[in-house]
Amino acid sequence: MYVCGLVIPVPEDKRDAYRQWAENGARIFKAHGCIEIVESWEDYVPDGKQTDFRKAVAAKPGEKIVFSWQIWPDKATLDAAEEVMHSDGSLEVEGEVPFDASRMILGCFAPISVMGRE
């Protein structure tokens, strides 16, 4: 298992546009080997004293935080998928991206402990 995680500031009024954008992306990632994707819309994101999700992405007033993760079989599968998706144009975005991608946080992780999965 290999996990790709994202923290994304999304304007509150673009929730539906974000969901459509994410669902389209999920179809592409699934076709290239992604096992699972979870897109989570902010429900409770408290302000921290030193740092928090909002500060990390320089969220502006009216933006909500999306916390998303993708589960891949392994790093090699993700790396191969990214190479193919970049070369075949799968990741080319048509229309407006419903958030400021320059403030998105992306990171990939190798799990050290997993609870609830076989």
Side-chain angles (χ1 to χ4, degrees), residues 3-68:
V3 180
C4 178
L6 302 101
V7 179
I8 308 168
V10 179
E12 188 169 12
D13 64 349
K14 293 192 177 185
R15 181 179 175 153
D16 290 336
Y18 178 82
R19 182 180 19 247
Q20 290 173 357
W21 180 86
E23 288 171 356
N24 183 56
R27 283 189 291 278
I28 294 166
F29 294 132
K30 182 178 180 182
H32 288 86
C34 187
I35 297 169
E36 175 181 304
I37 297 177
V38 175
E39 300 283 350
S40 306
W41 188 261
E42 173 185 337
D43 181 53
Y44 174 67
V45 178
D47 293 333
K49 291 184 181 184
Q50 291 187 350
T51 191
D52 58 41
F53 281 108
R54 279 184 212 302
K55 290 180 184 106
V57 296
K60 298 175 182 175
E63 289 183 327
K64 295 293 187 177
I65 303 302
V66 168
F67 181 53
S68 175

